[in-house]
Amino acid sequence: MMTLLFLAVLAVAGMACAYFKTAVPVWSAVIGATLLVFSIAGEPSVWLLALSWIAFALVAVPLNYLPLRQQLITGPILDTFKTMVPQITDTEQVALDAGTVGFEGELFTGRPRWSRFIKKPLHELTTEEQAFIDGPVEDLCDMVDEWEVSHYRAGLSENAWEHLKSHGFFGMIIPKQYGGLGFSAVAHRAVLEKVSSISSTVGSVVAVPNSLGPAELLLHYGTEDQKNHYLPRLADGREIPCFGLTSTTAGSDATSISDYGVVCKGQWEGKEVLGIRLSFEKRYITLAPVATVVGLAFRLYDPEGHLGEEEDIGITLALLPRDLPGMDIGRRHFPLNNPFPNGPIRGKDLFVPLDFLLGGEKYIGQGWRMLVESLSVGRAISLPSSSTGGAKMAALATGAYARIRKQFNLPIGRFEGVEEGLARIAGHTYAMSALSRQTASAVDDGEKPAVPGAIAKYHATEMSREVIKDAMDIHGGKGIILGPKNYLGRGWEGAPIWITVEGANILTRSLMIFGQGAIRCHPYVLKELQALQIEDEDERLDRFDRLLISHVGHSISCAVRSFVLGLSFARFAVVPGDRRTRKYYRKLTRYSSAFALLADVAMLTYGGKLKQKEKISGRLADVLSQLYICSAMLRRFEHEARPAADQPILAWAFHDAIYKIQHAMRGVIDNYPISWARPLLRFIIFPLGRQERAPNDRLGHKVAALMLSPSDTRTRLTRGIYTSDRAGHPVGVMERLLPDVIAAEPLERKLLKAQRAGEITTYTFEDQMAEAVENQVITQAEADLLRQLRVRVLDVISVDDFDLEDIQGGLSQTADAAREAGRESGDQAKADKKAA
Ligand SMILES: Cc1cc2nc3c(=O)[nH]c(=O)nc-3n(C[C@H](O)[C@H](O)[C@H](O)COP(=O)(O)OP(=O)(O)OC[C@H]3O[C@@H](n4cnc5c(N)ncnc54)[C@H](O)[C@@H]3O)c2cc1C
């Protein structure tokens, strides 16, 4: 009995030290004191006490006596560590150096400081920014007809272009001193969200000049002359920019571009000057067909040594005017029926003076670093915001349509099968919106959120693909038939585009989110890697020693916390929140500890090979992402003053995310290469088995119901998009109709009851109305109201039809003429052959 008590007290004391991550001397003192108390009491057996003291001495003495610790423990580990750390390539080093670490770093500690995080207010729009959204952005939405843009014009009208230029849409990120709007990131996000809710083509046209491209690069690296020349012209749309990095052979592996420039002398404006002879073949370049200034990435060579000793100087950036002799630009790609300007750019042996280099000679060979350093901000805003705008529009429209459209005498949104899709749409839209707002707000806090930007890009585009899929399914044929009345089809077609651009998603998940996060955001790994670079051996060992001891303490602490929090449902974790949300913070605290443990286990097991273990790093990326998304949702909920009516949507989205976390963690453990460690990890992380469940049907029902009628919750969920019916936009029209449809439902029920009771026996709508009035089922005024409503409902649920010529809109007259000419020459050839 005493033996059991002794062992239990030792275990509890040790675990308590680990749980609270005490320093080594404190741990030693606690265990030493425990042993002393039992030794004085003379219990349990002498042998067990002696053995315990020996074991304690073997561990505690070297750990507390630095020279011994360095000689026996950390020194040999340092030698091994040097051989197993991932080889960080130059490209990765640049990526690691760019960007800052925000709240995502807390998730790697396993003990996030929630109060600090949620108390930090999210940024709001200024009065000027709000006025821009309510004025020029609303007016732009009024003037855009997506069918005209995507089918007839394959682009924007002159009016729309003029509106964009004259109101400074292309200069949102350009400071006021250069004539730009100088908007905050949250304003930039709000503009993109609203514009993209009406047209993804317009969204892309607005997003690109404000994302990674000439303006952003000039602001950071441009010479004063370049800034003063280009920025005012970019701000007011005199110059339209594009940026060409991707080429035929180099897509995701962008540093392998074969486009090149050779430093040489050449003729420029009648004089011989030092410059670069460029050859390139870029593709997929957004805005290229209409661009007036082309940002170009290429590899620079200096074989004749004009600039120095180095021959292969590296990736370099230049700004080229469109009308440069020999520039082949203007042809278009056609990205999945979303006709935003996108196309190839080619050039062979073009000569430009050195002045055309972005940033001048100072930044020669620094192109990759310049791109990566500037990438995180655009990535955190452009696609997350535009995807959220599209998803909000789909959510609003699908909720309304599911109430207006009736089958089997019921709104289709009342069928359980449809409810499932509606709940997913609401939950994903809530999560995306919180995520994109959080990353934009981080940018306004001065961060360069590299890992959150990758999380936001990946998950916003993936969730928007899910949302549009569900929206299409719920709309049935109404979503399929393209035309002016279709508000979903182009979004559905375009969904894979956003998955591919700005870093294709598979690569983003596997390499960027966890790959970079594990090194950049981990509390010790990057510091340990940096310690390896220290020249002085003693200093290197000292630094590494301290970091390693803390790191091991961190891992042990995460394991103990993970187990204890799992066993106790994290009841003892100190968390903020109220009656409803406290349990969410507890779960996140628990899984954050488990994630930190799994991340360490994976890095220790695979070392440098973890880079190639993309299935493992992908799952860990999912865990990190969902933890981050949940945090963003809780922050949003707090920021909105915890609206009780929104709780079901938050609950749905939260349980969905936590279930995904559990799934991903089990995936990591089940595929762990050391078989005996799998049950151990399962025991530590899931001591009571898998407890998380996907959102249940009752919750799904509540969420779906929130989508089907106007309410503050529904307004909050879809806030920020264009909902006007002024210009006849079908979603705006539907939104106006929804309250009237709901108001008429009791009348419709009365009619149905009367029909079933045999009081209405006629077949056509008009006869039924007349009969219902005659039999006093409804009044004449009510019948009139139902008649008017029927006309509006038929208008909303109807689809377009066309003459063949209308859907041949894509064929230009020139193409027609060429086809016709081909046919004629073919006929002639056949005739000639016959005659011969
Ligand atoms: C419509 C559109 C607009 C674009 N606009 C521009 C622009 O304005 N400027 C510009 O420079 N570029 C632009 N791009 C390029 C874009 O940003 C992507 O970088 C590029 O499309 C990716 O290359 P790829 O399509 O050749 O795919 P690939 O590189 O061939 O990749 C194919 C697949 O393999 C996966 N993959 C590749 N490597 C790995 C890896 N190591 N681990 C896991 N998975 C991997 C990718 O995720 C992808 O799923 C645009 C692309 C499109 C389609």
Side-chain angles (χ1 to χ4, degrees):
M1 185 63 193
M2 235 10 228
T3 308
L4 275 183
L5 180 69
F6 170 70
L7 292 175
V9 171
L10 264 189
V12 169
M15 282 172 75
C17 289
Y19 187 93
F20 294 107
K21 202 173 163 232
T22 58
V24 171
V26 178
W27 169 83
S28 312
V30 170
I31 300 296
T34 312
L35 285 178
L36 199 63
V37 169
F38 277 92
S39 305
I40 292 168
E43 295 282 359
S45 70
V46 176
W47 285 111
L48 186 55
L49 279 171
L51 271 178
S52 305
W53 274 112
I54 292 167
F56 174 65
L58 283 175
V59 178
V61 173
L63 277 184
N64 286 285
Y65 183 53
L66 190 65
L68 203 59
R69 182 167 90 191
Q70 291 187 344
Q71 198 187 355
L72 292 181
I73 307 172
T74 49
I77 293 178
L78 175 60
D79 295 337
T80 318
F81 194 61
K82 276 191 258 172
T83 61
M84 67 176 283
V85 289
Q87 276 293 321
I88 298 184
T89 61
D90 289 348
T91 318
E92 285 167 330
Q93 188 59 52
V94 169
L96 284 174
D97 293 342
T100 53
V101 178
F103 183 71
E104 66 282 8
E106 298 266 328
L107 297 171
F108 270 92
T109 64
R111 47 178 85 219
R113 286 167 292 179
W114 293 113
S115 296
R116 248 172 65 152
F117 173 66
I118 57 168
K119 274 188 194 142
K120 197 170 181 183
L122 288 161
H123 289 262
E124 297 283 359
L125 301 178
T126 63
T127 317
E128 184 197 350
E129 290 166 344
Q130 187 62 57
F132 188 79
I133 308 278
D134 297 338
V137 180
E138 183 84 3
D139 294 344
L140 174 71
C141 295
D142 276 348
M143 78 174 61
V144 170
D145 171 348
E146 175 68 337
W147 178 244
E148 188 195 80
V149 167
S150 67
H151 183 67
Y152 287 115
R153 279 185 193 280
L156 274 60
S157 67
E158 276 306 313
N159 276 351
W161 274 109
E162 203 35 58
H163 185 85
L164 291 173
K165 289 178 185 176
S166 62
H167 287 95
F169 277 78
F170 298 142
M172 283 192 281
I173 60 165
I174 297 177
K176 288 191 169 154
Q177 69 183 100
Y178 295 108
L181 294 176
F183 274 180
S184 63
V186 290
H188 178 181
R189 165 190 181 263
V191 173
L192 287 182
E193 195 175 282
K194 186 158 183 167
V195 170
S196 304
S197 74
I198 195 96
S199 162
S200 52
T201 300
V202 185
S204 308
V205 168
V206 176
V208 168
N210 290 293
S211 187
L212 176 61
E216 172 88 5
L217 292 163
L218 281 165
L219 282 169
H220 289 108
Y221 312 102
T223 62
E224 277 312 306
D225 282 352
Q226 287 173 337
K227 284 189 201 172
N228 290 332
H229 173 75
Y230 277 116
L231 290 174
R233 299 170 67 80
L234 287 165
D236 64 17
R238 272 173 291 163
E239 301 279 6
I240 300 291
C242 71
F243 193 85
L245 169 65
T246 306
S247 58
T248 310
T249 49
S252 303
D253 182 11
T255 50
S256 68
I257 44 176
S258 50
D259 314 287
Y260 65 94
V262 177
V263 184
C264 62
K265 292 211 167 126
Q267 289 295 316
W268 185 256
E269 294 178 340
K271 286 190 208 141
E272 191 187 63
V273 295
L274 190 60
I276 302 167
R277 197 162 294 287
L278 284 165
S279 293
F280 51 89
E281 184 163 348
K282 301 292 188 185
R283 63 176 181 177
Y284 306 154
I285 309 307
T286 304
L287 294 191
V290 296
T292 58
V293 54
V294 176
L296 191 83
F298 57 93
R299 188 165 275 277
L300 185 64
Y301 297 95
D302 183 16
E304 294 167 9
H306 291 288
L307 300 175
E309 310 250 298
E310 228 167 331
E311 186 175 338
D312 179 356
I313 295 180
I315 293 180
T316 302
L317 311 182
L319 285 180
L320 312 178
R322 178 194 184 92
D323 52 12
L324 201 64
M327 176 92 87
D328 178 2
I329 187 168
R331 286 187 63 76
R332 285 175 181 252
H333 300 306
F334 193 14
L336 288 173
N337 276 335
N338 280 243
F340 55 88
N342 181 279
I345 317 174
R346 302 180 185 98
K348 181 101 186 88
D349 293 334
L350 305 188
F351 181 78
V352 295
L354 287 183
D355 298 349
F356 282 33
L357 292 177
L358 208 156
E361 289 183 41
K362 184 175 165 199
Y363 287 105
I364 280 178
Q366 305 282 314
W368 186 247
R369 186 171 63 77
M370 292 156 78
L371 288 174
V372 174
E373 276 176 0
S374 314
L375 187 68
S376 58
V377 170
R379 191 182 273 150
I381 297 172
S382 300
L383 285 166
S385 320
S386 37
S387 302
T388 306
K392 283 185 175 180
M393 179 59 88
L396 190 78
T398 310
Y401 186 77
R403 186 73 181 252
I404 294 169
R405 172 70 173 166
K406 294 191 174 69
Q407 290 292 285
F408 306 100
N409 292 317
L410 268 183
I412 55 169
R414 299 282 183 219
F415 298 115
E416 287 206 352
V418 173
E419 272 187 356
E420 278 193 320
L422 283 171
R424 276 195 298 269
I425 291 177
H428 287 142
T429 305
Y430 189 87
M432 287 166 75
S433 178
L435 176 62
S436 80
R437 183 148 188 211
Q438 154 93 0
T439 47
S441 215
V443 172
D444 281 335
D445 282 335
E447 286 182 35
K448 282 192 167 186
V451 173
I455 292 175
K457 190 270 160 176
Y458 177 88
H459 287 276
T461 53
E462 291 290 342
M463 283 193 269
S464 87
R465 180 155 67 170
E466 290 298 307
V467 167
I468 193 77
K469 179 172 92 50
D470 279 320
M472 289 291 285
D473 289 353
I474 292 174
H475 276 76
K478 169 81 181 160
I480 305 294
I481 304 304
L482 286 175
K485 284 173 179 281
N486 186 321
Y487 37 83
L488 291 177
R490 293 298 190 219
W492 161 259
E493 288 176 313
I497 303 176
W498 322 124
I499 301 287
T500 303
V501 300
E502 284 198 27
N505 273 7
I506 297 178
L507 172 136
T508 302
R509 172 177 179 250
S510 305
L511 292 187
M512 287 157 107
I513 298 176
F514 184 74
Q516 277 190 32
I519 300 180
R520 185 204 294 270
C521 308
H522 192 283
Y524 301 105
V525 169
L526 187 57
K527 291 181 192 145
E528 285 161 352
L529 291 173
Q530 284 163 346
L532 291 189
Q533 314 299 325
I534 296 174
E535 299 263 312
D536 183 272
E537 266 187 39
D538 293 341
E539 197 191 328
R540 180 168 64 216
L541 183 56
D542 272 353
R543 178 115 185 87
F544 183 78
D545 169 89
R546 262 180 286 129
L547 287 166
L548 184 71
I549 292 300
S550 301
H551 190 162
V552 172
H554 161 78
S555 301
I556 296 173
S557 175
C558 288
V560 170
R561 282 173 61 83
S562 190
F563 178 72
V564 173
L565 294 171
L567 208 59
S568 61
F569 298 101
R571 289 250 159 70
F572 311 114
V574 182
V575 293
D578 61 11
R579 184 173 54 81
R580 290 179 299 251
T581 54
R582 215 168 288 132
K583 58 179 185 276
Y584 298 158
Y585 289 106
R586 287 187 182 132
K587 275 186 195 294
L588 290 183
T589 303
R590 169 190 171 187
Y591 288 118
S592 157
S593 292
F595 165 70
L597 170 68
L598 274 185
D600 271 1
V601 168
M603 283 189 272
L604 184 70
T605 310
Y606 296 107
K609 293 209 177 81
L610 185 55
K611 248 188 336 193
Q612 284 107 50
K613 294 283 166 199
E614 292 191 355
K615 290 175 194 156
I616 296 295
S617 62
R619 291 185 184 105
L620 288 166
D622 293 345
V623 178
L624 175 63
S625 301
Q626 297 300 343
L627 287 170
Y628 190 81
I629 293 169
C630 286
S631 316
M633 291 195 294
L634 287 172
R635 190 168 174 205
R636 170 190 174 157
F637 193 67
E638 295 289 340
H639 184 79
E640 289 173 346
R642 302 178 185 167
D646 296 7
Q647 164 75 16
I649 306 186
L650 170 69
W652 193 99
F654 187 86
H655 287 296
D656 180 60
I658 288 288
Y659 189 62
K660 286 173 181 156
I661 287 177
Q662 176 180 270
H663 179 74
M665 282 188 169
R666 283 300 295 233
V668 175
I669 299 172
D670 292 349
N671 291 285
Y672 190 65
I674 304 169
S675 56
W676 61 260
R678 283 181 220 140
L680 181 65
L681 283 171
R682 267 182 221 121
F683 179 68
I684 293 173
I685 292 175
F686 299 108
L688 298 175
R690 274 174 283 186
Q691 300 276 311
E692 307 304 342
R693 301 280 173 268
N696 66 31
D697 292 351
R698 212 152 48 94
L699 183 58
H701 170 73
K702 278 192 206 163
V703 173
L706 286 169
M707 302 283 285
L708 296 175
S709 43
S711 66
D712 288 348
T713 297
R714 188 165 172 272
T715 305
R716 264 191 297 274
L717 183 71
T718 56
R719 188 165 43 207
I721 59 169
Y722 177 77
T723 55
S724 166
D725 63 344
R726 266 192 311 277
H729 187 262
V731 179
V733 171
M734 200 155 64
E735 206 44 27
R736 272 343 125 237
L737 173 63
L738 180 62
D740 299 341
V741 165
I742 295 171
E745 281 175 356
L747 285 183
E748 288 176 340
R749 277 198 293 273
K750 249 196 219 178
L751 285 173
L752 197 64
K753 208 168 146 196
Q755 243 175 346
R756 285 185 183 142
E759 292 171 49
I760 300 174
T761 53
T762 45
Y763 300 116
T764 67
F765 179 77
E766 275 309 324
D767 289 348
Q768 285 176 347
M769 285 301 106
E771 205 180 352
V773 173
E774 200 180 305
N775 294 343
Q776 295 184 346
V777 177
I778 52 173
T779 64
Q780 184 60 48
E782 288 171 336
D784 290 344
L785 194 135
L786 286 175
R787 272 192 200 98
Q788 285 165 14
L789 193 68
R790 183 176 161 83
V791 173
R792 291 168 67 198
V793 167
L794 283 177
D795 178 51
V796 157
I797 62 171
S798 65
V799 297
D800 300 286
D801 46 62
F802 302 92
D803 286 330
L804 178 61
E805 300 89 76
D806 285 332
I807 45 178
Q808 285 173 328
L811 294 179
S812 71
Q813 287 184 351
T814 337
D816 271 349
R819 217 175 304 267
E820 205 48 50
R823 217 174 286 136
E824 276 171 17
S825 68
D827 291 348
Q828 188 60 47
K830 272 186 215 155
D832 290 349
K833 207 171 161 189
K834 210 170 171 186

